[in-house]
Amino acid sequence: MTSTVSTTPFIPAPATPYQGDIARYWNEEARPVNLRLGDVDGLYHHHYGIGAVDHAALGDTADSEYEKKLVAELHRLESAQAELLLDHLGAIGRDDMLVDAGCGRGGSMVMAHQRFGCKVEGVTLSAKQADFGNNRARELGIEESVHSRVCNMLDMPFETGQAAGSWNNESSMYVDLHDLMAEHSRVLAVGGRYVTITGCWNPRYGQPSKWVSQINAHFECNIHSRREYLRAMADNRLVPQAVIDLTPDTLPYWELRATSSLVTGIEEAFIESYRDGSFQYVLIAADRV
Ligand SMILES: C[S@@+](CC[C@H](N)C(=O)[O-])C[C@H]1O[C@@H](n2cnc3c(N)ncnc32)[C@H](O)[C@@H]1O
Ligand SMILES: CC(C)=CCC/C(C)=C/COP(=O)(O)OP(=O)(O)O
Ligand SMILES: [Mg+2]
């Protein structure tokens, strides 16, 4: 009798039915706006962009190459967003370990490794995304350093104090924030840095606006308020070192995206909620004390 060795990594059962739905959502996701942008240079993101549009680079809308330039410009702005997140991780050495909680297809992880030379561990609920990220890492010859796995970010297989830095890039709206900050606080070394870039509803508006409800329905997520982020961090030894309102910096991305053939239908909700002040795009960097 011969024994067979499975090469398929163990995929844990979802912790909740909701997490099962989210795993399915990302396993089925294949929007051209994400794949076409990633194809520009092989960094695949599932987050949005920041910074001014380079109109000189875009050129004339009548140009036959315009759509290609538009895709490259949207991608440049998305990578600029990830660069800003990495800027806030502080001094990271080659021997350090970083954690990307909700890593998607792994674009930010590759950028982190290219910048710091360190090990980067990613977790996602989607087996398809983890495979995609690991395949990209293999293609780049960095699979020893950049690794994705299917895992709940609220229960990560890392030792207490193991990480020098950790982040959520548009992935915190799928979980309870107290549970999330407790888990980051656990895996981070004292003196380590946590960074999130997220969309959050603005307590000054009162309650989530109709646009925020529309975004929640579109992505099956549950956007938190800015207040909830700060409270969950404060309760878990994460002390904000920077809170940056990126709303004015992300609007040009959305206004440009709304003119492209790759629109998905959610552009109006982002543009209107950023404009009416009910929704904000923020970066929060916090020290683990
Ligand atoms: C919008 S994507 C962001 C991906 C990535 N951070 C990026 O910037 O490209 C959201 C990600 O969060 C992940 N996610 C949601 N809930 C999660 C959970 N409980 N544990 C691990 N990952 C989760 C999804 O699997 C998906 O990869
Ligand atoms: C800021 C907020 C509220 C984000 C919600 C999480 C989310 C789905 C981010 C973008 O993913 P994506 O890149 O797959 O989306 P799209 O297809 O719209 O580009
Ligand atoms: Mg996208």
Side-chain angles (χ1 to χ4, degrees):
M1 198 173 145
T2 54
S3 63
T4 52
V5 179
S6 170
T7 52
T8 311
F10 170 70
I11 298 180
T16 59
Y18 173 75
Q19 287 196 5
D21 287 343
I22 299 307
R24 207 160 26 246
Y25 176 98
W26 289 107
N27 282 335
E28 287 168 8
E29 189 281 336
R31 290 185 285 276
V33 72
N34 299 313
L35 298 173
R36 290 264 318 270
L37 269 63
D39 289 343
V40 170
D41 63 1
L43 292 170
Y44 291 83
H45 301 308
H46 285 286
H47 60 248
Y48 301 123
I50 55 165
V53 171
D54 184 346
H55 289 284
L58 278 176
D60 195 331
T61 53
D63 181 351
S64 60
E65 294 282 283
Y66 181 78
E67 187 66 22
K68 193 173 160 201
K69 290 179 185 169
L70 178 53
V71 165
E73 184 62 2
L74 289 171
H75 183 65
R76 186 183 70 79
L77 300 177
E78 291 188 1
S79 288
Q81 187 265 30
E83 294 288 6
L84 184 74
L85 187 154
L86 300 179
D87 288 346
H88 285 82
L89 284 173
I92 302 295
R94 297 184 67 83
D95 296 332
D96 285 331
M97 191 272 258
L98 296 172
V99 173
D100 183 346
C103 61
R105 286 188 155 98
S108 305
M109 299 170 72
V110 172
M111 290 171 68
H113 172 72
Q114 288 172 343
R115 183 189 287 215
F116 302 116
C118 68
K119 220 175 169 78
V120 190
E121 295 281 352
V123 302
T124 169
L125 292 177
S126 157
K128 189 173 139 200
Q129 289 188 328
D131 284 349
F132 190 100
N134 288 330
N135 284 336
R136 271 307 289 142
R138 257 191 303 278
E139 282 163 12
L140 293 166
I142 56 173
E143 71 272 22
E144 296 298 316
S145 303
V146 172
H147 178 246
S148 302
R149 74 184 81 209
V150 179
C151 168
N152 177 7
M153 66 170 99
L154 303 180
D155 184 16
M156 297 188 280
F158 309 125
E159 282 166 34
T160 298
Q162 196 185 345
S166 64
W167 71 82
N168 284 104
N169 198 348
E170 296 189 19
S171 54
S172 50
M173 56 288 292
Y174 296 94
V175 288
D176 177 277
L177 284 187
H178 271 84
D179 295 346
L180 179 66
M181 296 310 160
E183 183 62 348
H184 280 286
S185 191
R186 185 189 70 75
V187 302
L188 279 169
V190 172
R193 181 63 66 74
Y194 170 72
V195 185
T196 183
I197 295 183
T198 189
C200 56
W201 62 267
N202 187 354
R204 286 192 63 179
Y205 186 82
Q207 285 288 316
S209 66
K210 65 177 179 182
W211 303 118
V212 170
S213 300
Q214 203 170 307
I215 297 168
N216 278 335
H218 185 85
F219 292 115
E220 301 179 38
C221 67
N222 294 286
I223 290 164
H224 305 283
S225 69
R226 191 171 82 239
R227 184 183 181 200
E228 282 176 83
Y229 278 94
L230 298 174
R231 182 178 286 168
M233 287 182 191
D235 287 348
N236 287 287
R237 306 195 69 86
L238 294 169
V239 178
Q241 195 271 342
V243 181
I244 306 174
D245 181 3
L246 296 172
T247 311
D249 299 310
T250 195
L251 258 168
Y253 165 90
W254 284 103
E255 286 160 351
L256 182 65
R257 177 167 151 155
T259 68
S260 95
S261 64
L262 300 176
V263 288
T264 62
I266 199 61
E267 289 75 15
E268 182 190 24
F270 277 90
I271 292 170
E272 294 302 326
S273 60
Y274 285 146
R275 286 190 185 150
D276 74 15
S278 62
F279 189 49
Q280 293 177 299
Y281 197 52
V282 298
L283 177 150
I284 308 174
D287 289 322
R288 166 67 166 93
V289 299

